[in-house]
Amino acid sequence: MRVLENFINGAWVASAGTTLLDVKNPATGELLAKVPLSTSADVDAAVQAAKAAFPAWRAVPPVQRARYLFKLKGLFDQHREEIANICTSEHGKTFSESFNDFGRGIENVEHACGIPTLLMGQNLEDVASGIDTRVLRQPLGVFAAITPFNFPPMVPLWFLPYAIATGNTFVLKPSEQVPLSQRRIFELIQQIGLPNGVVNLVNGGREVVEAICEHPDVKGVSFVGSSNVAKIVYRKCGETGKRVQALGGAKNFIVIMPDADMERAVQNAVESCYGCAGQRCLAGSVIVPVGDAYERVRDAFVAYAKKIVLGDGKDPATTLGPVISRAHKDRVLSYIEKGLQEGAKLVLDGRNATVPGLPDGNWIGPTIFEDVRPDMVIGREEIFGPVAAFMRAKDLDEAIRLANASEFGNAASIYTTNGKAAREFGARVEAGMVGVNIGVAAPMSFFPFGGQKASLFGDTKAHGSAGIDFYTERKIVIERWF
């Protein structure tokens, strides 16, 4: 069985860790590979390689660094279907979801190709008589990213292109549950001829995360995952003076007004809740039909959900794949049981879902609760699975209050044909990303990505202008010549 290696200083090397985890196809149960739980020594080797590479790499002109990324973007385009197939095998999402997953990552590489413009500073002549001032953006050194299982190709590419484009060097720890996409992506990166040590990859789990957060030569850390872990990463990085962007969990509300284009609104809401098996931080979680829209929305939502086809993501007929693991399936099922215990009404039950010929898949069908209250566990905690909860609101004010009562503030959406209602929602809802007639409020690569409240800890959001800010230090030069 294939045992994955780390990529350090331009070469694939065996991990010092002796514990191996199975990487399985969540639809079929097939064993795909084994991934090592690397050690702090592995992290140190990667960081030292990145540190050694930094002085020469930061001296490479930005326009030349951009040329490496142009090559990488071309390679990624050529191998997009291959990476999508790998992603579907290790994660379970449908091929189209995997294809778009990697596509969003490629967009970040494309955006980072504009680094000569993105790095431009500011200047002002004669701030005082004979004195000029200019602002320079400079790289800091070694950065690292700790990324989750739910978007294996995309999320690492929120960070890696911007880190190296700005002149820093980089260490990635991908999720140990889905390491194969990044293995292949780093093989492609290897082909563009970056100097050794500029990018490095260390597989592993908790020990690797802790070593990254505590290493004195790591200048900044990017993290995407649960809010509980994001808080820990934020605290540990703060204690050692690192920059940190820690993107946490979500409980996203979708408000549907009575005047909405109902067919499109409900179809979008269903896709938001069940796309990627609900395993995304922008997934719709709580549906709030306003006023007399409630019954119409609920009935149409249930009807659409019943049409979803559960199966292997490689089957073109499949519209809902498995959840990532048996342990995660058990976690989602425990939330469904908790909802029943708390008195929510189970309108559509996905607990006993099966797929013919695939008895080892981690199947959960579309699940719908109504009569959910904000104080219920299923009304306030992130389930991260194909479970939707319905809440009632008599008007827009109440709908906004329900959304703002959540500890999270990642995303929120409203469906309406009323511009005033949309504007009021956008202004008042406490969410970092807001959709108006959009069910998945995902910004493009040239805008920042991130939430508010318990959905984001740290200095800046991901990619866009925020990414450039995170990876550079502004130096102000005030000069006078006699």
Side-chain angles (χ1 to χ4, degrees), residues 179-248:
L180 295 173
S181 296
Q182 285 305 311
R183 166 72 195 212
R184 184 63 183 128
I185 283 172
F186 266 68
E187 289 173 348
L188 296 176
I189 292 173
Q190 202 175 5
Q191 295 180 29
I192 67 173
L194 285 170
N196 292 344
V198 171
V199 295
N200 305 271
L201 181 150
V202 181
N203 292 295
R206 180 173 179 173
E207 183 175 348
V208 172
V209 173
E210 291 178 345
I212 286 172
C213 293
E214 295 169 2
H215 201 292
D217 291 321
V218 174
K219 301 300 182 183
V221 175
S222 302
F223 171 86
V224 181
S226 71
S227 288
N228 289 337
V229 181
K231 290 178 186 177
I232 295 169
V233 170
Y234 178 60
R235 185 179 69 248
K236 284 184 173 290
C237 289
E239 289 170 351
T240 54
K242 293 176 174 53
R243 292 189 172 192
V244 59
Q245 46 185 188
L247 283 68

Side-chain angles (χ1 to χ4, degrees), residues 74-409:
L75 267 180
F76 282 174
D77 283 338
Q78 293 172 29
H79 292 269
R80 189 167 170 182
E81 289 193 8
E82 177 193 359
I83 301 296
N85 275 310
I86 294 171
C87 177
T88 292
S89 293
E90 66 178 349
H91 179 278
K93 64 178 69 180
T94 67
F95 176 80
S96 64
E97 289 170 339
S98 295
F99 191 79
N100 293 328
D101 177 337
F102 190 35
R104 280 297 183 115
I106 294 172
E107 288 171 6
N108 280 279
V109 178
E110 186 174 46
H111 183 230
C113 288
I115 200 64
T117 300
L118 297 172
L119 277 179
M120 287 183 180
Q122 302 165 282
N123 66 80
L124 181 62
E125 184 181 40
D126 286 329
V127 296
S129 181
I131 299 176
D132 304 330
T133 300
R134 53 197 171 96
V135 179
L136 307 176
R137 287 183 179 271
Q138 296 183 327
L140 288 83
V142 181
F143 279 80
I146 301 159
T147 57
F149 75 81
N150 58 331
F151 284 86
M154 179 185 73
V155 175
L157 295 175
W158 285 355
F159 309 114
L160 185 154
Y162 301 103
I164 66 172
T166 50
N168 300 286
T169 52
F170 190 75
V171 178
L172 172 67
K173 190 212 91 69
S175 169
E176 63 275 23
Q177 296 186 83
V178 288
L180 295 173
S181 296
Q182 285 305 311
R183 166 72 195 212
R184 184 63 183 128
I185 283 172
F186 266 68
E187 289 173 348
L188 296 176
I189 292 173
Q190 202 175 5
Q191 295 180 29
I192 67 173
L194 285 170
N196 292 344
V198 171
V199 295
N200 305 271
L201 181 150
V202 181
N203 292 295
R206 180 173 179 173
E207 183 175 348
V208 172
V209 173
E210 291 178 345
I212 286 172
C213 293
E214 295 169 2
H215 201 292
D217 291 321
V218 174
K219 301 300 182 183
V221 175
S222 302
F223 171 86
V224 181
S226 71
S227 288
N228 289 337
V229 181
K231 290 178 186 177
I232 295 169
V233 170
Y234 178 60
R235 185 179 69 248
K236 284 184 173 290
C237 289
E239 289 170 351
T240 54
K242 293 176 174 53
R243 292 189 172 192
V244 59
Q245 46 185 188
L247 283 68
K251 194 70 176 176
N252 303 318
F253 284 66
I254 296 179
V255 174
I256 302 179
M257 300 296 289
D259 60 48
D261 180 330
M262 208 57 69
E263 183 176 354
R264 291 183 181 179
V266 173
Q267 186 174 358
N268 277 189
V270 169
E271 292 167 353
S272 176
C273 291
Y274 301 122
C276 300
Q279 299 171 125
R280 55 185 177 190
C281 67
L282 291 178
S285 181
V286 180
I287 311 300
V288 186
V290 173
D292 62 10
Y294 185 88
E295 283 75 17
R296 286 183 291 156
V297 172
R298 179 202 57 204
D299 293 347
F301 191 98
V302 172
Y304 269 114
K306 287 181 176 179
K307 296 176 184 177
I308 288 173
V309 179
L310 192 63
D312 188 338
K314 292 187 176 180
D315 183 344
T318 294
T319 54
L320 176 64
V323 296
I324 186 66
S325 66
R326 187 56 51 90
H328 190 63
K329 176 182 177 179
D330 291 343
R331 178 180 180 274
V332 175
L333 292 177
S334 73
Y335 273 108
I336 297 174
E337 293 300 327
K338 189 66 175 177
L340 290 169
Q341 292 168 16
E342 291 182 319
K345 180 180 178 182
L346 190 58
V347 178
L348 186 63
D349 187 353
R351 289 175 294 176
N352 297 316
T354 59
V355 175
L358 296 173
D360 297 322
N362 305 317
W363 310 115
I364 300 178
T367 299
I368 301 170
F369 279 103
E370 67 173 338
D371 298 335
V372 177
R373 300 188 310 272
D375 62 318
M376 291 179 174
V377 170
I378 62 168
R380 67 175 190 270
E381 293 187 10
E382 183 176 39
I383 299 172
F384 222 60
V387 181
F390 271 71
M391 293 184 187
R392 295 176 184 266
K394 66 178 182 297
D395 54 27
L396 180 59
D397 284 342
E398 185 177 7
I400 293 172
R401 283 197 299 271
L402 287 172
N404 289 351
S406 173
E407 67 173 308
F408 300 107

Side-chain angles (χ1 to χ4, degrees), residues 158-159 162 245 247 445 447-450 456 460-467:
W158 285 355
F159 309 114
Y162 301 103
Q245 46 185 188
L247 283 68
S445 60
F447 286 96
F449 184 110
L456 178 70
T460 64
K461 299 184 179 185
H463 62 64
S465 59

Side-chain angles (χ1 to χ4, degrees), residues 45-63:
V47 173
Q48 295 307 325
K51 182 181 179 182
F54 173 64
W57 180 245
R58 70 158 295 172
V60 174
V63 68

